[in-house]
Amino acid sequence: GAPEHISTATDYNIFVIYTKENYQLHVKFELFAKSLLKFANSGMLLHLHVLTDETSGHSVEQILESEIRRYRRSIIYSLYSMHLCAEQVMDIVNTMTPYFSSTPKSYYSDALFFLSLGLHRIADENMERAILLDCDIVFRADVRLLFNEFEKFAPDHLFGLAPELTPVYRHILYRYRANYPQTDFGSPFYLPPSQQQQQQQQMAANMVSEESSLVLHNGHKLHKLDRFHGPAKHGYPGLNSGVVLLHLQRIRKSSLYHHQLQDGQVRRLTSKYMFKGHLGDQDFFTLLGYEFPNLIYRLDCVWNRQLCTWWKDHGYSDVFDKYFTCKGRIKMYHGNCNARVPE
Ligand code: UDP
Ligand code: MN
């Protein structure tokens, strides 16, 4: 029989979207492929799944083949038709766009930004886990180390995402935060000591009344207990979807998740937080992660070190750095909003 190691089944499945190619995107994908292969030293085979279109697909093959030759690595890669993938998630896209999209509907440009929410339909039904990456990611470590993060998932965790490193959700939640000044939704992850103290005092003051009513802004039990046992030490700045760990097996089986994808639930969530977004899937993940904190594992920012500084020059220079802080040795840079990645 065929030797086992020839099998194409691998535990390291990475998905990336590469469509509507232009020069800028081409350069990004080159850097993505180059750094991916450079740091993927040894061990189990990687399987790269690229969602692409007819014209962009030629570059994908050419870039991958040339980097595979350069670094003498073996990986498996498969190309998927973005057109067919878009059709498989159309219902989700149609539900989400009114709440989380700023541009008017257009062919599959919308599908691209919500694809993560339906990836469990696109991936092979036997695939248990996968990681979806933006192609403006640049690796500084072996991507297989990121798969170890799945081992840290609690039993309820479906997804893993790193925090958003700009005040974009402080901006979007402006009205909600004005109505609920004590909220940590839209606050930076690392709160300054003064604000932690304030939260602590507020918690102590609220303890009795909240204990008797047991009604908090969000109905989750574990979350409730967390809040009773002590002050929140961190803010919740939202999530960034440039790096998404997906526990596909659990996602397929989660009735709670599928319920939250329904229009009624998305409407309920967005109106509760007076939320009108424009960042696609990450707006949905951000709301989901606040409402149901046990569904989403918080990935460390070193796995998605975003570099976009747009909000620094657009009204948030005073607080920007509190959001942008990321301590630790960077494993993956994210050159979002076309930011340059350091050499
Ligand atoms: N993308 C694509 N074609 C496009 C725009 C985006 O294939 O015309 C894919 C690509 O993988 C990209 C991801 O969608 O990384 C998300 O877009 P982008 O990274 O530009 O958004 P940002 O991270 O800057 O918000
Ligand atoms: Mn990106």
Side-chain angles (χ1 to χ4, degrees):
E4 298 237 302
H5 65 264
I6 297 213
S7 158
T8 53
T10 162
D11 292 335
Y12 299 110
N13 292 292
I14 297 169
F15 285 79
V16 63
I17 302 175
Y18 185 75
T19 60
K20 294 183 288 180
E21 179 180 45
N22 55 44
Y23 176 73
Q24 248 187 348
L25 210 60
H26 187 103
V27 172
K28 286 176 186 171
F29 192 78
E30 246 170 12
L31 215 55
F32 174 91
K34 194 191 284 278
S35 59
L36 173 73
L37 287 164
K38 181 177 175 185
F39 287 98
N41 299 318
S42 59
M44 278 275 287
L45 215 47
L46 274 177
H47 192 158
L48 185 64
H49 307 258
V50 188
L51 283 49
T52 187
D53 52 49
E54 217 166 290
T55 45
S56 316
H58 292 294
S59 298
V60 171
E61 285 195 299
Q62 176 251 309
I63 292 169
L64 288 177
E65 286 301 330
S66 107
E67 297 306 328
I68 287 168
R69 245 179 286 123
R70 181 203 305 257
Y71 290 106
R72 299 158 185 266
R73 306 268 193 256
S74 51
I75 64 161
I76 309 168
Y77 64 89
S78 311
L79 306 190
Y80 295 58
S81 154
M82 185 59 203
H83 175 77
L84 294 178
C85 294
E87 280 181 358
Q88 281 174 274
V89 299
M90 233 356 130
D91 56 326
I92 299 176
V93 177
N94 288 336
T95 303
M96 298 292 164
T97 40
Y99 305 101
F100 306 129
S101 187
S102 56
T103 49
K105 276 184 173 304
S106 65
Y107 191 42
Y108 61 64
S109 70
D110 287 328
L112 162 77
F113 295 109
F114 293 103
L115 197 110
S116 58
L117 306 182
L119 191 71
H120 56 284
R121 299 174 181 171
I122 290 157
D124 186 282
E125 60 182 333
N126 297 316
M127 198 186 291
E128 293 182 10
R129 299 162 178 193
I131 296 177
L132 176 65
L133 299 174
D134 274 9
C135 78
D136 55 351
I137 291 289
V138 179
F139 302 87
R140 287 286 187 270
D142 190 336
V143 71
R144 280 169 297 202
L145 296 172
L146 180 53
F147 283 86
N148 294 342
E149 293 292 306
F150 277 115
E151 308 310 323
K152 302 183 191 166
F153 275 35
D156 286 343
H157 283 144
L158 304 179
F159 300 93
L161 287 93
E164 165 68 30
L165 299 181
T166 76
V168 62
Y169 292 111
R170 183 193 190 98
H171 182 79
I172 289 175
L173 291 162
Y174 178 81
R175 277 207 293 154
Y176 181 77
R177 289 169 58 88
N179 287 359
Y180 300 91
Q182 302 308 326
T183 188
D184 57 0
F185 198 0
S187 298
F189 184 71
Y190 296 108
L191 293 172
S194 64
Q195 214 167 317
Q196 277 189 41
Q197 216 166 37
Q198 249 174 39
Q199 255 191 16
Q200 205 163 349
Q201 284 161 3
Q202 194 63 37
M203 290 311 289
N206 289 346
M207 212 55 119
V208 177
S209 60
E210 283 189 357
E211 213 159 13
S212 53
S213 67
L214 276 176
V215 176
L216 280 183
H217 76 283
N218 107 19
H220 198 264
K221 214 172 183 179
L222 275 179
H223 205 56
K224 261 184 208 164
L225 287 175
D226 280 351
R227 293 188 174 211
F228 284 117
H229 285 306
K233 287 179 200 70
H234 297 291
Y236 183 81
L239 300 169
N240 182 278
S241 62
V243 176
V244 185
L245 273 58
L246 300 101
H247 199 303
L248 298 170
Q249 208 178 33
R250 288 182 193 162
I251 292 167
R252 293 188 189 100
K253 285 192 287 195
S254 170
S255 49
L256 173 59
Y257 175 65
H258 292 104
H259 186 54
Q260 295 309 311
L261 289 178
Q262 303 301 309
D263 178 69
Q265 289 309 303
V266 183
R267 194 178 333 122
R268 181 185 72 83
L269 269 187
T270 49
S271 64
K272 176 174 175 180
Y273 296 107
M274 307 172 203
F275 190 105
K276 173 68 184 87
H278 62 279
L279 294 173
D281 59 354
Q282 81 165 51
D283 290 335
F284 178 75
F285 282 128
T286 290
L287 288 171
L288 191 70
Y290 195 61
E291 194 76 357
F292 303 99
N294 58 333
L295 292 188
I296 303 185
Y297 171 73
R298 197 190 62 83
L299 193 62
D300 194 278
C301 61
V302 297
W303 291 106
N304 179 1
R305 203 298 173 239
Q306 299 124 247
L307 296 167
C308 181
T309 57
W310 191 87
W311 289 96
K312 196 181 172 103
D313 317 314
H314 292 82
Y316 292 89
S317 56
D318 52 339
V319 295
F320 184 82
D321 289 343
K322 292 183 189 142
Y323 289 83
F324 201 60
T325 303
C326 176
K327 299 164 186 163
R329 191 194 163 103
I330 306 304
K331 311 278 207 321
M332 281 157 56
Y333 282 105
H334 182 185
N336 54 338
C337 80
N338 301 320
R340 266 202 50 198
V341 177
E343 286 301 316

